[in-house]
Amino acid sequence: MSNTGPSRWRAIAALLCTILVLAACDSAEERAEGHYQSALTLLEDGDVPRALVELRNVFQLNPQHEQARVLYANTQLEQGEVADAYGQFLRVAEQHPENAEALIRLTAIAMRANNWDAAERHAAALIAQAPDLPESRAADVALRYREAVADARVPERRGVAEEAQALLETLPGHATLRALVVDSLLLDGRTEEAVVRVDEALKVLPQERMLFSLKLIAHTRLEDVEGIEETLLMAIDRFPDDETMPERLISFYRGMGDLDGAEAFL
């Protein structure tokens, strides 16, 4: 009697296990893709909460799903969940180092948060990977501007600010470029021009907090009482969850001796 029977059955069993595992993987990826497509449909319908749930279902089945991870991160960023978005873009950059969009978002978020160590790291990766992208040039401009300001290299700082202004033709919604153009004007004492530029920027980026800060600085230097009050009221309207803005407005009224204005606001 041949002794090859048991070995043959073991080989067949191993083959069947392999087939079943591969089938399960295919099934998981297919189900993940189904959740992703459902999320796309829900976002088109404006149902963001359910779309986010569907995207989380994708990650449970396929943690490597690049498009779903980017979509989730961008959606969270639009919802103001910056910390979560940043973490998701970090995951994308780790899993898919060639994804330039993740590096663009990481650089922008870090710069707006004044986290320049992270900004330099992400910008370096972005510039090395895609040097010809406008966002790469913007990152390089922002880093060079910061260095010029820190080293008090005035002509260089002005030249970089001009580069930023030119780049805004291509990237009108780039918050850091907008801010550094205004900042350079303020440093040069061109305050009225800075007000014009910051107002232009706020038409494009109405929810950008650092632009409101620059606008307040400009109106304060001009001793423009109406401008300060208007800016604070606008900021309170745009950022209702920010408790510091009402406090700043009350302090402003008290500093002006306008107790009636403070009472009216309260």
Side-chain angles (χ1 to χ4, degrees):
M1 182 175 176
S2 175
N3 60 358
T4 61
S7 298
R8 183 182 304 165
W9 282 113
R10 282 195 294 270
I12 293 172
L15 179 60
L16 285 174
C17 287
T18 301
I19 292 171
L20 288 173
V21 168
L22 291 174
C25 290
D26 289 342
S27 176
E29 290 184 0
E30 288 172 1
R31 283 185 289 140
E33 186 62 26
H35 286 296
Y36 173 63
Q37 294 300 325
S38 176
L40 290 174
T41 301
L42 288 166
L43 285 175
E44 288 179 3
D45 294 338
D47 193 343
V48 175
R50 289 179 62 198
L52 292 173
V53 170
E54 286 288 61
L55 290 171
R56 293 187 192 103
N57 289 335
V58 174
F59 305 147
Q60 290 181 356
L61 294 164
N62 181 10
Q64 298 283 336
H65 199 299
E66 183 176 3
Q67 294 87 351
R69 187 79 63 180
V70 170
L71 180 60
Y72 183 90
N74 277 322
T75 303
Q76 286 292 72
L77 193 59
E78 291 171 1
Q79 298 299 304
E81 300 294 337
V82 179
D84 189 19
Y86 186 81
Q88 295 296 330
F89 282 124
L90 274 177
R91 187 82 173 267
V92 174
E94 292 168 358
Q95 293 177 339
H96 310 281
E98 75 289 349
N99 191 302
E101 183 178 358
L103 294 174
I104 289 170
R105 300 288 191 229
L106 288 168
T107 303
I109 293 171
M111 284 183 176
R112 289 162 76 177
N114 286 320
N115 185 348
W116 289 98
D117 289 340
E120 289 177 5
R121 185 171 64 254
H122 299 314
L126 174 62
I127 293 167
Q129 181 173 301
D132 295 330
L133 284 179
E135 292 85 357
S136 297
R137 298 200 298 273
D140 176 62
V141 163
L143 293 176
R144 286 191 288 117
Y145 179 83
R146 183 170 180 267
E147 291 177 359
V149 170
D151 295 338
R153 300 195 300 267
V154 176
E156 182 178 340
R157 184 258 297 166
R158 289 171 178 162
V160 176
E162 290 177 0
E163 289 182 52
Q165 181 62 48
L167 205 61
L168 284 171
E169 296 291 329
T170 305
L171 298 170
H174 199 290
T176 301
L177 291 181
R178 292 278 184 184
L180 74 82
V181 167
V182 176
D183 183 72
S184 186
L185 291 170
L186 289 172
L187 288 174
D188 284 339
R190 297 159 64 183
T191 311
E192 292 182 354
E193 190 175 346
V195 172
V196 172
R197 293 296 186 189
V198 79
D199 284 340
E200 290 175 355
L202 282 168
K203 290 178 182 178
V204 181
L205 299 162
Q207 298 296 124
E208 190 57 55
R209 292 174 184 266
M210 64 180 167
L211 293 176
F212 279 93
S213 296
L214 290 168
K215 186 174 171 65
L216 279 173
I217 291 170
H219 284 302
T220 300
R221 290 187 182 178
L222 291 171
E223 298 182 356
D224 181 355
V225 174
E226 291 183 1
I228 296 171
E229 180 183 23
E230 177 187 311
T231 302
L232 287 170
L233 288 170
M234 189 185 303
I236 290 169
D237 180 64
R238 298 276 174 88
F239 312 114
D241 295 332
D242 188 341
E243 296 178 358
T244 65
M245 287 300 177
E247 293 173 0
R248 293 177 71 176
L249 182 60
I250 295 299
S251 295
F252 165 74
Y253 283 135
R254 287 175 176 167
M256 296 300 298
D258 187 359
L259 298 181
D260 291 338
E263 288 181 10
F265 173 70
L266 289 173

